[in-house]
Every structure is written in structure tokens, then in C-alpha cells.
Amino acid sequence: MKTSRLAREAASISKTSELITRRQTRSFATTLNAFSADGAAAFAAKQEDTNDNSSSLSSLSSPGAPDIEDVAGTSSARKRKRGITTPATTVTTVEATTRVSSRKSGIKTEDGSPARIKKGRKQPAKKVVNELGEVDIHPPANWEIIYDAVQEMRKKVLAPVDTMGCESLAEDTRSPRDKRFQTLIALMLSSQTKDTTTAVAMSRLQNQLPAPGFTLEGILAVDPVRLNELIYAVGFHNNKTRYIKATAQILADKFNSEIPDTIEGLISLPGVGPKMAYLCMSAAWGRDEGIGVDVHVHRITNLWGWHKTKQPEETRAALEAWLPREKWHEINHLLVGFGQTICLPVGRKCGECALSTRRLCPGAVAQKTTVVKKKRKTEEVMEDDGKGVKAEVKDILVKNEEV
């Protein structure tokens, strides 16, 4: 008897359904029945003895079966042999704190609320052509006000340069020639190094160099390895060891064992640049032939808007064009200390700076307040270790949120 293709497909689908149903009879149906209203005990019994299928199935209808919560409690007790831990209460608390960024100021109004800083206007030096066709440099309009304000602030705070600057590191008991030599070495060590570190290295040279001590002759006699050990704390100490030894030999051969008394002669020494040369001329020889511009002088004067320069030598030329000569020596010491205490390279303290409150600094940074919300969850945990039930409160930090 012939059957249509549609009938054959229907018969195939029917057989497949019956096969799936038979395969699900023991495992799937038992699982469903185990969680019925009176079948929890049978499910627990099935977990204990999986081989006895008839016993497990018969227990599904046994009278007086325990509730599902009781079964779950019993099973949990077998797994957790050391005790029972049950969360009792959960409480969420919120804490709010206020942070002020280290790069932001802390200026506040009279009522204690944060004040918004209004930046000063940039007033750079100007080039003006006079009647004769010559170019005159007019200084920034408010430079004297800024200069005086910085001097007043510097009187209130002691900076590292005030006690450990290169000018003050030479030994007072030495001869003028040896003191000038020590000043030059201190300036060479100070490159890319903090004043405190330079002072430590100078002290080691003064106290640990063998006779005749920290003099030109003593540097010539010391072994380079030992010299490197004495100045290891400063930046680029390997290069500076070579520069100091070579400089000592040049001074002995070409300058009659004395440091040069000209800018050209100082710059000719290895490791000595224009900044060191001008500072050395001022500190060692007492002659102000130029402004020693380091990173602080270069950064701060650009921050004030006195000029727009990219290199320290450009800054030196711009300042010397209008700054009175009697201030050429002190401006380096003034701005270095100001940059070490208030106008820091990272994290400027505009809230403590008089230039910000008087709206004299175009680079003043406004305050930014960040509210941090800390969400904590408190849980009361009950534990049974066999000796009794103990309650423990745990404080858990969930997350921090910044608003």
C-alpha cells in the first residue's frame, strides 16, 4: 500500500516525539515531581540513592513529607559542616566628603564658600619704535606690583634655596680662591638636582675628600671612582664626575688654577652652560653680567605673561631688555624660592598666593571641589560553629562615586 510523502513525514515526527518523551520519563519528570507540594522529600532521597529508582518514585506520594524550605535547610547543613551563616539585616549608608585637587586653589569667600578666581590680564613687555626709528622695550605695566607682592610672600616662607642655595654652600674657612672653586662645583652639581640633594653632595665632598680636602688640588688627586661615590646622589652623577675632573685639569692648565672671570671662559668649561656662568659670575666674582635663568624663572615669568618664550636663553634676553640691572642678581633667588614654595611646577598653591586674590596672575587656577560618595553595606551574619550561635556585623565598601 502506497503512502504519501506527507503521511510518511507525519509518522516520522510522531515517532521522534514518543522517543523524546520516553527519554525524559525518569529524569525530567522526576525532577518536576520532586518540587511539587508534597514531593520534596523524594527529591532529597533521590540525591542520596540514585540507583534505587523505584524507591525514589514511590516516595513522591508518601504522607507527611517536609516543606521545601526544611529540605533546603537540611541539605545546606550537610554541605556547610562548620556552621550556618544567614544574613539577617542589610543597611546601606552614604558618606559624602569634599576633596580639593592639589592643582586647584583653596580660596574662599567670607562665608566660607569656595570662591571663583578671576584671572589677571596678560600685560607683556612691548616693543615701541621711537621718533629716531629705534626700538624701545616697554616693561609690563604691572611688573613692579607683582615683583613687590612676591617679595612680601617670600619673606613669610623659608625656601630650600634660602639655606641650601649654591651661593651659600662653600666653606667659610677656605681661601677666596677655594671658595670660588667650590661655588663653581656646586653649580655644576645642581643641574637637574634639588637644592637639598646638592647640599648633601657638597657636604660629602667637604668632609670625606682626603687631604688637601675640597680644593682644586684635592679634586685632581682623587680617584674618579671615589669622586663618583661621593656625588652619586645628584642627577647624572656619572657625567658630572667626568666634567668635574676635566674642569679641574683645564683650570690647572689654562687658568692658573683659578676659575675664569669672564662669561666666555666659564662657558668653555665642560658641563657649564649660560645659566651657571651668569650665576657663577654673580656669586663668585660679584659681577652681574646677566640673569641666570633656570626652569623656575623661565616658567613663572611666562606664566605671568611677561613674555612668550620657549627656551631659557630667550627668557634671559627678554628680561634683560627691560628689567633694571640692580635686580638681575636677586630675581633668580627670588623666583626659585617662589617656585619651590608656592608656585610649584606641579600643584600650584594659588589659594595661598596674593597674586591670585589680587587678580594679578593670568595663570591662576580656579578651585574645583569633588564630592565623593561612599556607599557601604552593613550585614549582620549569624554563625553556628557548634558551640553556639554568634552574631557578627560586617562593613563592606560597595563603591565610590564622584559627583
Side-chain angles (χ1 to χ4, degrees):
M1 178 178 139
K2 296 182 179 181
T3 58
S4 64
R5 184 179 63 183
L6 183 63
R8 290 196 302 271
E9 293 178 355
S12 176
I13 293 173
S14 176
K15 291 180 180 180
T16 303
S17 301
E18 292 176 1
L19 180 61
I20 295 174
T21 303
R22 286 197 301 271
R23 289 177 180 176
Q24 293 178 346
T25 300
R26 291 184 179 180
S27 61
F28 185 70
T30 304
T31 304
L32 292 178
N33 292 335
F35 287 96
S36 61
D38 58 349
F43 181 73
K46 183 177 180 298
Q47 294 296 108
E48 295 177 357
D49 189 4
T50 56
N51 296 326
D52 191 358
N53 293 331
S54 59
S55 175
S56 300
L57 294 174
S58 63
S59 63
L60 292 174
S61 57
S62 60
D67 188 49
I68 185 64
E69 294 181 359
D70 297 334
V71 176
T74 305
S75 176
S76 176
R78 280 197 299 268
K79 293 180 179 179
R80 189 181 292 108
K81 297 180 180 180
R82 294 184 179 181
I84 302 175
T85 303
T86 305
T89 59
T90 302
V91 180
T92 302
T93 60
V94 179
E95 300 177 0
T97 59
T98 302
R99 296 187 309 182
V100 179
S101 174
S102 60
R103 289 189 59 87
K104 309 303 177 183
S105 68
I107 297 178
K108 296 183 178 181
T109 58
E110 294 180 357
D111 58 355
S113 60
R116 183 179 180 181
I117 294 181
K118 296 181 179 180
K119 297 182 179 181
R121 182 170 57 90
K122 290 185 178 181
Q123 302 181 42
K126 297 180 180 180
K127 295 181 180 180
V128 179
V129 180
N130 57 24
E131 298 176 353
L132 301 175
E134 299 174 348
V135 178
D136 294 333
I137 306 298
H138 288 195
N142 60 352
W143 79 270
E144 291 180 296
I145 300 175
I146 293 176
Y147 200 91
D148 294 339
V150 173
Q151 284 184 320
E152 291 299 321
M153 286 186 285
R154 287 281 283 110
K155 293 177 182 178
K156 300 177 182 178
V157 182
L158 190 67
V161 71
D162 296 331
T163 57
M164 291 173 283
C166 295
E167 298 180 9
S168 60
L169 295 180
E171 294 176 287
D172 294 332
T173 58
R174 292 290 180 176
S175 65
R177 188 205 69 154
D178 293 339
K179 291 173 64 175
R180 287 191 289 267
F181 177 73
Q182 290 190 14
T183 299
L184 174 62
I185 299 302
L187 287 166
M188 296 177 68
L189 294 175
S190 68
S191 178
Q192 303 293 319
T193 305
K194 293 182 179 181
D195 288 337
T196 52
T197 307
T198 302
V200 171
M202 286 291 293
S203 177
R204 290 168 62 90
L205 291 173
Q206 292 166 353
N207 297 319
Q208 299 185 32
L209 275 176
F214 191 3
T215 61
L216 176 65
E217 293 74 19
I219 293 296
L220 288 172
V222 69
D223 184 73
V225 176
R226 177 54 178 163
L227 177 61
N228 193 32
E229 292 175 353
L230 293 175
I231 66 169
Y232 76 94
V234 304
F236 305 101
H237 57 89
N238 292 324
N239 291 336
K240 291 176 181 179
T241 298
R242 293 195 298 268
Y243 294 155
I244 291 173
K245 291 290 289 186
T247 294
Q249 192 63 53
I250 292 173
L251 295 181
D253 296 340
K254 297 183 179 181
F255 295 95
N256 195 25
S257 299
E258 179 65 274
I259 69 171
D261 58 353
T262 63
I263 296 297
E264 294 76 13
L266 288 168
I267 294 178
S268 68
L269 301 175
V272 178
K275 180 201 77 171
M276 295 183 196
Y278 287 113
L279 291 176
C280 189
M281 284 294 297
S282 179
W285 294 106
R287 301 207 310 263
D288 300 323
E289 297 189 4
I291 299 174
V293 177
D294 68 345
V295 290
H296 292 291
V297 178
H298 174 68
R299 174 180 58 87
I300 294 173
T301 53
N302 274 277
L303 191 66
W304 289 340
W306 284 2
H307 39 249
K308 189 176 181 180
T309 56
K310 295 182 179 180
Q311 300 296 331
E313 272 299 284
E314 297 177 12
T315 301
R316 181 185 64 82
L319 288 173
E320 290 177 358
W322 59 266
L323 188 68
R325 198 178 186 91
E326 61 269 16
K327 297 187 181 297
W328 285 11
H329 173 69
E330 68 179 31
I331 189 173
N332 179 273
H333 187 271
L334 180 73
L335 296 190
V336 168
F338 184 63
Q340 290 176 341
T341 55
I342 297 177
C343 194
L344 305 174
V346 179
R348 302 196 299 269
K349 300 179 181 180
C350 296
E352 303 175 14
C353 182
L355 302 181
S356 297
T357 57
R358 297 170 63 179
R359 298 179 59 182
L360 294 172
C361 180
V365 184
Q367 181 180 8
K368 178 182 177 181
T369 303
T370 303
V371 178
V372 181
K373 291 185 177 180
K374 296 182 178 180
K375 292 187 177 181
R376 295 182 177 274
K377 181 174 66 174
T378 303
E379 292 184 352
E380 184 178 351
V381 181
M382 308 295 293
E383 294 186 358
D384 187 359
D385 56 357
K387 298 180 181 180
V389 179
K390 296 181 180 180
E392 181 181 359
V393 178
K394 296 183 178 180
D395 190 13
I396 305 173
L397 178 63
V398 180
K399 63 179 179 178
N400 288 344
E401 294 182 353
E402 292 189 1
V403 182

